[in-house]
Amino acid sequence: MFSSNAFLLWGFLSCCWGLRLDEELARTRQPSKWGSLWPLPQRVATFDVSFKLAAASFEISDGEGSSAGPSCGLLQDAYRRYDKYIFGGAKAKRPRARDKRTDFPVLTGLRVLITDPEPECDRYPSVTSDESYELLVERATAILKAPKVWGALRGLETFSQLVYEDDFGTKLANWTQISDYPRFAHRGLLLDTSRHFLPVKVILDNLETMAMNKFNVFHWHIVDDQSFPYESRTFPDLSRKGAYHPYTHVYTPSDVKSVIEFARLRGIRVIPEFDTPGHTQSWGKGQAGLLTPCFAGPRPSGSFGPINPIINSTYDFMRRLFREVAAVFPDDYVHLGGDEVDFTCWKSNPEIQTFMEQQGFGKNYSQLESFYIQRLLDIVSSTEKASIVWQEVFDNHVKLKRDAVVHVWMGGADCGEEMRNVTAAGLAAILSAPWYLDYISYGQDWLKYYKVEPLSFNGTAEQKKLVIGGEACLWGEYVDATNLTPRLWPRASAVAERLWSAENVTDVVDAYDRLSSHRCRMLERGIPAEPLFSGYCPREFQRIGER
């Protein structure tokens, strides 16, 4: 163990080391040859030839022969959004000197060509969605080609990042050729709306920012011990009695629908998490008999523990609840949790003890948890949904279906053994262990997130193919609407590039320059992203507070 003096010295040295690293990055900062692209595309070629964009005449529209036409609302919505980003929100309000130069070739528009006969305009994104695209800025009309609309959305974001403004206020884009696709199919962000309720507007603003960073999964940890803000039509008392407030701190069916549609228009999946059998104290307030009565000696103590796994009414309730959840949330997956189950209450309950003996579980309460999870998995499977579970479910040897996904969250950077074990069992894995953004520290902690390599574990090539991606997690104990967004961005952006860009994109000096510029762009778009280090953005407070 450290003595207190040694601990203080270690903290001081760590702080000083962090400051030296920050200063070194700032001192050695060089303009990236990739401009401000974030995350960096797979293949980029850019040339020192600039095109001028005229706001009055420039148009984003469907290319000739595109399988998605004017009836594709998803793309039409995106065209308006990116036109505003390029010419509206990022446009300075102050008077500018007149640019009298005439030597720039003019870029008249961007044509978007969807090449697949089924563009998927009216569908929801999925884990198999094609997000690839090609972007060519090399003549009067730029061309964006993508098999599906999901790739077009990613390409539109990239095009918007190519546009910059000179000292005269002229919008320019360099001659560029890009061929791009994500390295991992699942690039997620977890937000916790139970420990602190997050207004719908905050969720939507962060979905918008996710799209700017090419995240494609919103993991909605919607309920937990502290509150149950999901308003269920089947069990309305769950939110009436379990939410912080039954009217102001709930997500109505209309709210949930608006979040899902807002996300869909940005190519983002919404995966809800209803974590059981632990993390369920708020559930018991609105559903009598659901939680396990705890005992103090021979008598009930008046307190309650995890969900009661030994009574039939529990599974009747779960069957009805998840039937509703499956109808409300269109994604193919539901996150069932299964983590951090405290067995103390189960151990105190005489009926649980008797059940354990009858089942031959002995004193192994992990087997009781597995008994519950196994039945819950079958219930969710009956709704034609696949399941995502926290790693404890796998560790407790629950028999998982082949379409189940194991979410690895323990061990921080030292989680390679868990990743190896999960994939060796033939199961898909999502990594979050190194990316818990609720842990904050002095200095540029984005670097430690950026340096993570998701496939750095001992395993075969086939095993590593089973790592479908990862998620950055922002738990809500110390986060609410007042501080969520600046704490999240641009720290989460580091995870976004690690999950999108090629494995060899690891130059932290280049990343520092691009991320600093990307952070300025987020500020221009109204996102109060915190600074990386000392410095400034040209128009940093122009739109903060306007969203």
Side-chain angles (χ1 to χ4, degrees):
M1 293 179 65
F2 284 119
S3 69
S4 58
N5 288 337
F7 184 80
L8 288 171
L9 177 61
W10 175 83
F12 173 75
L13 292 174
S14 297
C15 176
C16 291
W17 180 84
L19 279 173
R20 286 199 299 272
L21 179 62
D22 289 345
E23 292 169 354
E24 182 66 16
L25 276 174
R27 186 182 65 80
T28 60
R29 179 178 178 181
Q30 296 291 331
S32 171
K33 65 179 179 179
W34 313 123
S36 62
L37 291 174
W38 195 278
L40 190 66
Q42 298 288 334
R43 290 189 288 276
V44 187
T46 184
F47 305 93
D48 193 20
V49 176
S50 299
F51 291 88
K52 179 179 178 179
L53 287 73
S57 58
F58 187 88
E59 181 185 32
I60 305 174
S61 61
D62 300 311
E64 185 177 351
S66 175
S67 61
S71 63
C72 184
L74 180 146
L75 282 184
Q76 301 305 318
D77 179 83
Y79 297 163
R80 291 188 291 270
R81 187 164 68 249
Y82 280 100
D83 184 84
K84 181 179 178 181
Y85 278 149
I86 295 168
F87 296 108
K91 204 170 189 176
K93 301 294 192 294
R94 64 183 183 276
R96 295 183 179 278
R98 183 177 180 83
D99 184 4
K100 299 180 180 179
R101 296 168 298 171
T102 60
D103 54 335
F104 290 123
V106 175
L107 191 65
T108 60
L110 172 66
R111 299 293 175 261
V112 180
L113 177 64
I114 306 301
T115 59
D116 194 289
E118 295 185 18
E120 301 186 355
C121 294
D122 299 321
R123 297 184 190 176
Y124 291 92
S126 72
V127 72
T128 59
S129 291
D130 189 341
E131 297 175 279
S132 65
Y133 67 92
E134 292 183 355
L135 179 59
L136 302 174
V137 183
E138 55 187 15
R139 49 176 62 96
T141 301
I143 301 295
L144 170 59
K145 291 183 181 180
K148 304 286 188 181
V149 293
W150 318 116
L153 291 174
R154 307 302 171 227
L156 285 166
E157 175 59 37
T158 299
F159 178 80
S160 75
Q161 296 182 6
L162 291 176
V163 178
Y164 62 96
E165 194 171 281
D166 68 8
D167 293 337
F168 295 95
T170 303
K171 299 287 185 181
L172 301 168
N174 284 359
W175 185 315
T176 306
Q177 300 170 342
I178 290 175
S179 179
D180 199 14
Y181 53 87
R183 182 183 176 200
F184 293 101
H186 185 117
R187 307 179 307 283
L189 178 65
L190 178 151
L191 295 182
D192 170 8
T193 59
S194 171
R195 292 172 174 90
H196 283 99
F197 179 81
L198 298 177
V200 170
K201 182 180 183 300
V202 172
I203 295 175
L204 299 185
D205 283 351
N206 281 280
L207 285 168
E208 188 76 57
T209 317
M210 287 173 65
M212 296 175 196
N213 289 270
K214 297 188 172 73
F215 279 109
N216 69 345
V217 176
F218 171 37
H219 176 169
W220 195 350
H221 188 86
I222 194 167
V223 299
D224 208 295
D225 280 328
Q226 290 76 8
S227 72
F228 198 105
Y230 172 76
E231 188 175 276
S232 168
R233 286 191 168 119
T234 309
F235 299 102
D237 278 350
L238 288 172
S239 60
R240 286 176 187 167
K241 298 179 179 180
Y244 286 132
H245 190 282
Y247 303 115
T248 62
H249 284 60
V250 296
Y251 300 108
T252 66
S254 176
D255 291 334
V256 173
K257 186 176 181 180
S258 69
V259 167
I260 292 170
E261 179 61 10
F262 190 93
R264 186 188 78 85
L265 292 174
R266 286 150 184 83
I268 297 172
R269 302 161 57 200
V270 178
I271 298 179
E273 181 182 355
F274 290 84
D275 190 359
T276 67
H279 293 278
T280 50
Q281 288 298 299
S282 66
W283 299 48
K285 296 176 181 178
Q287 185 67 21
L290 184 62
L291 302 184
T292 304
C294 305
F295 277 67
R299 293 184 177 84
S301 66
S303 61
F304 295 86
I307 280 174
N308 192 334
I310 69 170
I311 54 178
N312 290 332
S313 60
T314 289
Y315 302 102
D316 292 337
F317 167 83
M318 292 297 173
R319 194 170 291 107
R320 295 177 64 194
L321 175 65
F322 281 99
R323 191 180 300 137
E324 175 187 316
V325 169
V328 169
F329 292 91
D331 199 79
D332 295 331
Y333 286 84
V334 176
H335 203 303
L336 301 180
D339 64 317
E340 297 183 321
V341 182
D342 186 345
F343 297 147
T344 305
C345 184
W346 281 355
K347 291 177 180 179
S348 75
N349 186 292
E351 293 183 357
I352 297 279
Q353 295 169 11
T354 300
F355 183 84
M356 293 278 289
E357 292 174 6
Q358 292 172 345
Q359 295 294 321
F361 293 162
K363 300 296 183 182
N364 188 346
Y365 285 86
S366 293
Q367 281 191 265
L368 179 60
E369 180 189 358
S370 297
F371 171 85
Y372 165 81
I373 291 288
Q374 197 71 65
R375 293 193 64 177
L376 184 62
L377 288 167
D378 290 340
I379 287 170
V380 172
S381 181
S382 72
T383 68
E384 298 185 352
K385 298 285 186 182
S387 299
I388 303 175
V389 293
W390 295 112
Q391 70 182 74
E392 289 97 319
V393 174
F394 171 80
D395 295 341
N396 290 340
H397 308 294
V398 173
K399 186 178 180 181
L400 294 169
K401 295 182 182 297
R402 304 308 284 180
D403 60 359
V405 178
V406 178
H407 198 159
V408 175
W409 71 277
M410 292 192 290
D414 300 321
C415 58
E417 184 177 357
E418 186 75 14
M419 295 291 286
R420 183 190 66 197
N421 292 340
V422 170
T423 54
L427 294 169
I430 296 169
L431 179 65
S432 281
W435 293 321
Y436 267 41
L437 305 188
D438 45 303
Y439 295 125
I440 58 175
S441 60
Y442 194 78
Q444 298 196 53
D445 59 355
W446 70 272
L447 282 164
K448 67 182 179 183
Y449 307 133
Y450 190 78
K451 291 178 179 179
V452 171
E453 170 45 53
L455 303 185
S456 62
F457 62 91
N458 293 325
T460 66
E462 291 304 310
Q463 281 180 252
K464 295 186 178 185
K465 288 179 183 177
L466 289 170
V467 180
I468 62 171
E471 290 184 1
C473 299
L474 190 64
W475 297 98
E477 288 89 347
Y478 305 100
V479 175
D480 66 7
T482 66
N483 66 340
L484 180 142
T485 304
R487 181 169 292 190
L488 191 55
W489 309 103
R491 296 161 78 235
S493 302
V495 184
E497 178 152 293
R498 184 54 51 234
L499 293 173
W500 179 281
S501 303
E503 183 178 353
N504 63 0
V505 178
T506 56
D507 184 340
V508 295
V509 175
D510 182 77
Y512 176 80
D513 181 71
R514 288 186 293 107
L515 186 56
S516 296
S517 299
H518 183 53
R519 180 253 173 177
C520 290
R521 177 168 47 239
M522 288 191 281
L523 288 183
E524 290 176 12
R525 294 183 181 185
I527 305 301
E530 68 181 17
L532 274 68
F533 190 57
S534 302
Y536 82 106
C537 296
R539 295 180 298 280
E540 57 187 354
F541 299 119
Q542 181 182 313
R543 291 197 62 216
I544 297 300
E546 290 184 12
R547 292 185 66 84

